[in-house]
Amino acid sequence: MATRVHIPAPGPDRKEIVVRGVAASPGISIGPAYVYRRESYREDLREISESNVPEELGRFDRAIAKCERDLAKIIAIAREKVGEESASIFDAQRLMLRDSAIYGSVVNAIKRDRVNAGYAVEKVMNRHQKVMEASDSEYLRERAQDILDVRDRILRHLRKGKALSKIDPNHIVVSENLTAADVVLFSRRGVLGCAMDFGGPTSHVSIMARSMSLPAVVGLHGVTDRIETGEMLILDGIRGELILSPTLTTLERYRTRAERFQRLKTEEKELVPLSSETLDGHRVRLEANLELQEELPMLEEYGAEGIGLFRTEILFLMEGKLVVPEEAQFEIYKKIVDVVAPNPTTFRVIDLGGDKLLPMGHREHNPFLGWRGIRILLDKPELLMPQLRAILRASAFGPVRIMVPMVTEVGEIKAFRERLEEAQNQLSERGQAYDANAEVGIMIEVPSAALLADRFAPYADFFSIGTNDLTQYTLAVDRGNDLVADLYQDLHPAVLMLIRRTVEAASGHGIPVSVCGEMATNLRAVPVLIGLGVDTLSASPVYLPGIKRVIRAMKRSEGRMLASEALQSQTAQEVAKRLDKWLDEHACGLGFYLEGAQAEE
Ligand code: PEP
Ligand code: MG
């Protein structure tokens, strides 16, 4: 397990320090640190010229309008879900936004003192907060924290995009925590890698880093406080290490290692045109997990036979919006289908909640066990219906599958199918085309769905096993918590048993099964999954050649034998040991991906 380490403060005498974390996205980066503190809202004073005053007032007013929109959504949700009392707190926050004592004072400060809006907001609101905190009235003292929440919300909107533009590409971003959306923006900006204090191997920020081929290490326990921007770092996303103040010898060693990794990636490209088939002629379909349109060219580059999982919610999260109009969604989905056809595109309907927090600041104590996935969609037809219509309309242009996340009971999939029929009827009434036979699949990612897979099967055209969630819910290990990352084991016999049960139910009903969780990228797991009878593996495109390498090195009969041994094992470690031995003997050149990175040296 990653342990808390004491790291001396940076300075000229600091010795090389290796901090162990969790490998989140493979690759090696060498470069200076950029320490990104998302939550520090210290606003520097900037004097502005008289001609810039209207622009600054405009920025402030737009930020207030955005806060009003955020809070209106939060109030609606709070009212519906947690009751009037908590809604009234947010209502009070909303009223503060245009309260003349605050709004008027900020406007005055911008006009009179000619200071930037951020500085004015911080100054005015800090002053109010202090007055309230010192008040005799208990009510006012309690509201003091609300002032700070409102201040931070305004500053966040004022700053959006600004922090990003300060980041120099060619740096390794070091941060306490990032969101999946941050990783996309950083990657587009050309940063070298990401190191984070928090996070687990299948948290969405890690998945996103892998999708963007951005080396990342998470779960580094407070490392951010000990690093200064500009300090030299080595980030090893294969072993899950961050090296501070590396010596020249270490730097040299890692440059060679980075080159070797690149070479391996290039060599893997040779596998792309080859068939994904075992030595005894069994075909395994390889599809791609995608989150963004810009990843589409990777399908051909890495030989994907379609999209096995398109995480549509990422589109929403990137826009920071909860509701994207049907027409805008349709345009995006159609573009994707146009590129992917004649292969299929599997659109997973919006899967918000968990570590993909709703963009309106909704908070729960236990979000992974809370309002997530299909639960939100059935509660909020205004989210589900436009999306269903948009996906259905895209199905007129090529093969489309629709996939439902977080299903835990049969009633949910029945209700979902009713909504789908409703969406089809609406389109028919409008005279708009769609494929009435677009397949509907259920994600098996909760033990109840795996255990009762035979009851779910009549309502599904396919199953897709989401091992990221299935592992966390089976083993009671939060997928994003680095403190328990060593307990997060997708090769645990209990997880394997649930996969077997799912496959058996599917084959009994003649429907196919895929695995679209990160387990498909765990090269050790590949022979076992195939041995268990999984038909398709879906993963970030860059992983597909490596997966194919293992498939082409095995016989299906060996997979069955390994699966049967694994199911009888007592622990995940036992399973891993057996599989490592098999991989060592059968699939050469994988050392880098397994802990055997050491074997390379
Ligand atoms: C999963 O849970 O395995 C999955 C593919 O969905 P997500 O990672 O988006 O929760
Ligand atoms: Mg999931």
Side-chain angles (χ1 to χ4, degrees):
M1 186 193 295
T3 45
R4 190 166 272 282
V5 284
H6 172 73
I7 305 163
D13 302 330
R14 180 147 102 178
K15 294 230 165 56
E16 173 177 303
I17 297 160
V18 180
V19 186
R20 271 179 200 285
V22 177
S25 175
I28 289 157
S29 323
I30 303 173
Y34 179 90
V35 179
Y36 175 72
R37 294 186 203 282
R38 151 201 278 284
E39 297 300 339
S40 71
Y41 293 116
R42 288 289 317 280
E43 281 287 330
D44 294 333
L45 169 65
R46 207 163 28 84
E47 281 179 24
I48 55 172
S49 63
E50 181 149 15
S51 59
N52 280 338
V53 166
E55 186 191 324
E56 208 57 17
L57 289 172
R59 279 185 65 227
F60 173 59
D61 197 64
R62 282 193 297 278
I64 293 290
K66 284 184 184 148
C67 293
E68 284 177 324
R69 277 203 296 275
D70 286 353
L71 283 165
K73 283 178 201 155
I74 295 172
I75 292 162
I77 301 265
R79 206 159 265 149
E80 195 177 314
K81 282 278 154 192
V82 277
E84 195 54 46
E85 195 182 330
S86 119
S88 69
I89 295 174
F90 294 114
D91 213 19
Q93 290 192 4
R94 185 166 56 107
L95 292 174
M96 282 178 196
L97 292 167
R98 301 255 179 208
D99 184 306
S100 63
I102 292 174
Y103 188 94
S105 304
V106 173
V107 167
N108 273 344
I110 296 173
K111 280 186 185 161
R112 191 191 54 220
D113 306 336
R114 304 239 191 92
V115 294
N116 50 312
Y119 181 78
V121 167
E122 192 169 298
K123 205 161 165 219
V124 167
M125 299 197 71
N126 288 358
R127 196 172 61 224
H128 276 274
Q129 189 258 346
K130 286 206 177 78
V131 171
M132 284 166 91
E133 223 166 40
S135 158
D136 291 338
S137 145
E138 193 185 334
Y139 176 80
L140 282 183
R141 283 200 306 276
E142 279 172 5
R143 295 283 79 79
Q145 180 57 41
D146 288 330
I147 282 254
L148 296 185
D149 287 354
V150 173
R151 175 198 69 183
D152 290 350
R153 188 175 292 282
I154 303 173
L155 291 177
R156 220 162 26 228
H157 282 299
L158 278 172
R159 285 185 146 205
K160 232 169 217 168
K162 277 202 144 186
L164 189 68
S165 64
K166 277 201 229 148
I167 295 181
D168 203 346
N170 300 319
H171 278 61
I172 295 172
V173 174
V174 181
S175 179
E176 206 174 273
N177 218 349
L178 295 171
T179 64
D182 291 332
V183 166
V184 176
L185 297 173
F186 289 150
S187 168
R188 284 180 183 157
R189 205 167 157 77
V191 307
L192 300 174
C194 288
M196 270 166 269
D197 290 350
F198 297 104
T202 64
S203 50
H204 280 97
V205 64
S206 304
I207 291 174
M208 213 59 227
R210 281 197 284 276
S211 293
M212 307 301 287
S213 300
L214 185 69
V217 179
V218 300
L220 285 160
H221 296 273
V223 88
T224 309
D225 287 339
R226 318 303 304 214
I227 294 178
E228 281 174 8
T229 293
E231 213 182 321
M232 191 59 166
L233 295 177
I234 298 175
L235 181 137
D236 183 340
I238 302 159
R239 286 184 179 163
E241 288 175 357
L242 188 68
I243 304 176
L244 285 53
S245 312
T247 62
L248 287 178
T249 323
T250 307
L251 277 171
E252 211 33 61
R253 192 155 48 88
Y254 269 87
R255 283 196 184 109
T256 312
R257 204 165 134 67
E259 276 166 25
R260 216 183 282 158
F261 182 71
Q262 276 320 320
R263 224 175 19 247
L264 183 77
K265 292 266 109 196
T266 314
E267 279 165 22
E268 274 188 358
K269 289 280 180 75
E270 288 168 16
L271 289 154
V272 169
L274 304 181
S275 149
S276 168
E277 192 175 313
T278 61
L279 292 170
D280 48 355
H282 172 67
R283 281 269 296 131
V284 180
R285 233 186 127 75
L286 293 185
E287 296 181 346
N289 290 359
L290 249 62
E291 285 83 19
L292 301 165
Q293 286 185 77
E294 66 202 57
E295 296 173 285
L296 283 170
M298 291 167 89
L299 294 179
E300 204 180 323
E301 197 183 338
Y302 291 97
E305 301 168 80
I307 298 183
L309 164 63
F310 194 96
R311 290 183 165 97
T312 58
E313 64 279 0
I314 303 291
L315 298 171
F316 292 69
L317 293 173
M318 291 304 296
E319 301 235 340
K321 285 187 199 152
L322 192 59
V323 179
V324 177
E326 175 186 326
E327 208 52 38
Q329 289 193 57
F330 165 65
E331 289 298 327
I332 297 172
Y333 301 152
K334 177 181 177 302
K335 269 190 207 139
I336 296 168
V337 171
D338 280 343
V339 173
V340 183
N343 281 319
T345 302
T346 313
F347 289 108
R348 177 175 73 183
V349 288
I350 313 163
D351 183 16
L352 287 171
D355 64 347
K356 284 168 295 191
L357 294 176
L358 298 169
M360 69 272 190
H362 168 76
R363 293 277 181 273
E364 293 170 289
H365 283 304
N366 236 331
F368 274 116
L369 300 182
W371 205 39
R372 241 204 111 176
I374 188 64
R375 300 171 181 178
I376 296 184
L377 295 183
L378 292 179
D379 282 354
K380 296 235 145 253
E382 67 269 33
L383 276 185
L384 179 61
M385 296 310 286
Q387 182 172 42
L388 286 181
R389 288 192 298 267
I391 295 176
L392 283 169
R393 284 169 61 191
S395 73
F397 298 88
V400 160
R401 305 180 193 133
I402 304 171
M403 190 153 86
V404 193
M406 251 318 258
V407 177
T408 56
E409 60 166 44
V410 174
E412 288 165 334
I413 191 66
K414 282 192 191 165
F416 178 84
R417 281 201 168 267
E418 279 166 20
R419 300 278 157 86
L420 185 66
E421 207 182 309
E422 213 178 294
Q424 289 172 333
N425 292 340
Q426 289 166 347
L427 293 182
S428 300
E429 272 166 32
R430 288 191 205 159
Q432 283 173 320
Y434 61 89
D435 174 7
N437 298 316
E439 293 184 351
V440 176
I442 298 179
M443 285 197 77
I444 304 291
E445 45 184 359
V446 178
S448 65
L451 288 166
L452 297 187
D454 59 338
R455 321 282 144 97
F456 284 88
Y459 302 97
D461 299 307
F462 64 93
F463 283 152
S464 190
I465 306 179
T467 50
N468 304 338
D469 279 314
L470 188 62
T471 306
Q472 84 162 342
Y473 292 129
T474 305
L475 303 179
V477 177
D478 180 342
R479 62 194 265 190
N481 184 342
D482 48 289
L483 290 174
V484 287
D486 62 330
L487 295 174
Y488 185 91
Q489 298 158 330
D490 50 16
L491 287 172
H492 195 292
V495 177
L496 299 178
M497 275 182 196
L498 292 174
I499 296 176
R500 182 182 60 173
R501 190 157 175 121
T502 306
V503 172
E504 279 173 359
S507 85
H509 286 80
I511 59 171
V513 181
S514 72
V515 166
C516 64
E518 298 306 297
M519 187 172 182
T521 67
N522 176 353
L523 298 186
R524 288 179 179 122
V526 169
V528 172
L529 292 175
I530 292 163
L532 285 170
V534 168
D535 306 287
T536 300
L537 298 176
S538 191
S540 287
V542 283
Y543 286 95
L544 298 179
I547 298 171
K548 196 187 281 180
R549 190 204 292 258
V550 177
I551 293 172
R552 291 176 60 85
M554 68 175 280
K555 285 194 189 133
R556 194 183 189 189
S557 51
E558 281 173 308
R560 287 192 178 123
M561 187 256 307
L562 290 169
S564 138
E565 280 179 39
L567 285 165
Q568 286 165 44
S569 299
Q570 301 221 356
T571 62
Q573 287 77 3
E574 209 180 295
V575 178
K577 206 163 151 207
R578 173 70 186 101
L579 294 174
D580 277 353
K581 184 162 174 285
W582 185 87
L583 275 178
D584 257 3
E585 290 163 6
H586 293 79
C588 52
L590 292 172
F592 239 117
Y593 290 109
L594 310 172
E595 258 103 25
Q598 289 93 330
E600 297 259 336
E601 289 169 348

